[in-house]
Amino acid sequence: MRTICSEDHRLHFPQAELHAGQFVTPFERPSRVEYILARLRERGLNDIAAPDPVAMAPIRALCRPDYLAFLEHAWDEWKRAGCAGEIIPASFPARRMNADRAPTNIDGKVGFYALAAETAITAGTWAAALSSAAVAQTAQRIVAGGARAAFALCRPPGHHATADMFGGYCFINNAALAAEAFRADGVARVAVLDIDFHHGNGTQDIFYRRGDVFFASIHGAPEHAFPYYLGYSDETGEGPGEGANLNLPLPPGAGYGPWAEALDAALARIRAFGAEALVVSLGVDAYKDDPISFFTLDSPDFLDAGRRIGRLGLPTLFCMEGGYAIEAIGVNAVNVLEGFLDA
């Protein structure tokens, strides 16, 4: 299995995240990639390459043009406004406020395009987000070219990003970009399986009214877990997408037993959907020691999860998402890949 990774991920490294009422070093940081790369090499998965140049046309087709313009120019606007620190949203178009007009002032504009306040933008964020998209695009082309699987070691991650909002450490939705690429390649039906602890709200939002891309997510129950406002089991799609959205929320303390049952249910639905290609949003923050989740999976569980996914027998692209127990992230992510290869 080839891994695609870009050194440009390092360009995005905010120095602060607002968490539990204080500023902390962000949980999503460059060292996550280093632990995964080290584990890949340790396990002999040494086929690691840089991405091809990013293709902007598919990104423009996925995202609203005003949102992309915001991401590209936000840092320069922020600095021209005399702001000294990193870009952190401070005001939002909440209920009964106008959510259809972006302010001209950069402070208001940031809140207009943000879905949460934990994700900062730095001077290198736009370049890093594009490099992450390029990683997903390159890995998808490998699978579309006939490989059984590829691993897009994306950073920043993507599954919380919508077509017009950033947050949850995400700016461009890499998994959605890859699913769209499979469709453009002529794959009639694509499935996106999100095993990150946090609900893939952005991916759901992008495909919610479509019947050609099936989305399944196993995640912490939204009444208890970020992103809080999507991810309930009664969200099943709308219009042509009715029945093509499956949310499997689980309560605090859930272990591998109920999690594996949810995974099997998702895989059964993907089979019934008739998917011809699979994109896995590979988050490993369901791990028992993750600092911002409440599931209790252990490292061997990720190996078994990979085997179950592998038994689908579909061309599969893994896109890296979350996982914040830094010293265990390499073992857990690579366990999924090894389990898949063993299936």
Side-chain angles (χ1 to χ4, degrees):
M1 184 187 300
R2 174 166 290 187
T3 294
I4 305 299
C5 181
S6 172
E7 282 294 309
D8 284 350
H9 80 88
R10 301 175 186 277
L11 297 173
H12 174 68
F13 188 11
Q15 298 304 294
E17 173 181 340
L18 183 60
H19 175 72
Q22 59 185 338
F23 285 108
V24 300
T25 301
F27 295 102
E28 201 294 293
R29 50 187 184 262
S31 57
R32 299 172 66 244
V33 170
E34 301 311 313
Y35 277 99
I36 295 169
L37 289 173
R39 182 63 175 177
L40 285 166
R41 295 185 176 108
E42 180 183 329
R43 299 297 296 169
L45 298 173
N46 295 315
D47 189 359
I48 302 169
D52 300 330
V54 67
M56 287 303 302
I59 297 173
R60 294 189 185 103
L62 181 74
C63 299
R64 268 183 22 186
D66 59 306
Y67 173 61
L68 293 178
F70 160 74
L71 289 179
E72 182 176 5
H73 300 296
W75 184 255
D76 290 340
E77 291 186 41
W78 187 255
K79 288 299 152 183
R80 282 199 301 270
C83 301
E86 297 173 337
I87 302 177
I88 298 175
S91 58
F92 302 87
R95 286 186 295 277
R96 293 178 299 284
M97 300 178 75
N98 193 329
D100 298 321
R101 300 180 186 177
T104 302
N105 180 281
I106 184 60
D107 187 50
K109 193 182 292 186
V110 172
F112 179 82
Y113 290 111
L115 60 87
E118 82 298 294
T119 301
I121 294 175
T122 72
T125 296
W126 173 240
L130 290 183
S131 77
S132 190
V135 165
Q137 290 175 334
T138 304
Q140 185 276 333
R141 284 193 287 270
I142 290 170
V143 178
R148 179 188 175 201
F151 178 32
L153 183 41
C154 296
R155 184 183 175 273
H159 72 148
H160 292 306
T162 71
D164 59 357
M165 287 189 292
F166 75 95
Y169 315 133
C170 303
F171 303 93
I172 297 172
N173 195 311
N174 303 306
L177 192 64
E180 290 282 40
F182 279 119
R183 288 288 294 114
D185 288 336
V187 177
R189 292 193 160 207
V190 181
V192 180
L193 172 64
D194 193 321
I195 62 171
D196 191 281
F197 167 79
H198 302 93
H199 178 249
N201 62 287
T203 315
Q204 172 173 306
D205 184 69
I206 288 168
F207 296 119
Y208 201 64
R209 294 160 191 85
R210 287 175 50 177
D212 56 338
V213 178
F214 183 86
F215 176 67
S217 178
I218 308 165
H219 51 270
E223 60 265 39
H224 301 292
F226 182 91
Y228 299 113
Y229 310 111
L230 278 181
Y232 290 92
S233 58
D234 60 358
E235 297 160 13
T236 58
E238 290 181 359
E242 178 59 48
N245 196 88
L246 176 66
N247 285 325
L248 296 160
L250 297 173
Y256 189 60
W259 194 94
E261 290 180 8
L263 177 60
D264 287 344
L267 296 174
R269 287 285 299 276
I270 290 169
R271 287 190 192 94
F273 176 72
E276 300 167 24
L278 176 67
V279 178
V280 178
S281 275
L282 176 54
V284 291
D285 40 1
Y287 181 59
K288 62 181 182 179
D289 293 327
D290 196 277
I292 54 174
S293 79
F294 53 60
F295 289 167
T296 59
L297 275 64
D298 207 346
S299 294
D301 298 328
F302 291 102
L303 192 67
D304 184 67
R307 291 193 190 102
R308 293 173 189 240
I309 295 168
R311 291 185 195 121
L312 270 180
L314 292 175
T316 300
L317 172 64
F318 292 92
C319 285
M320 194 66 208
E321 303 285 1
Y324 309 103
I326 302 292
E327 294 182 0
I329 189 173
V331 171
N332 294 337
V334 175
N335 273 5
V336 175
L337 303 180
E338 290 195 295
F340 177 91
L341 292 173
D342 287 343

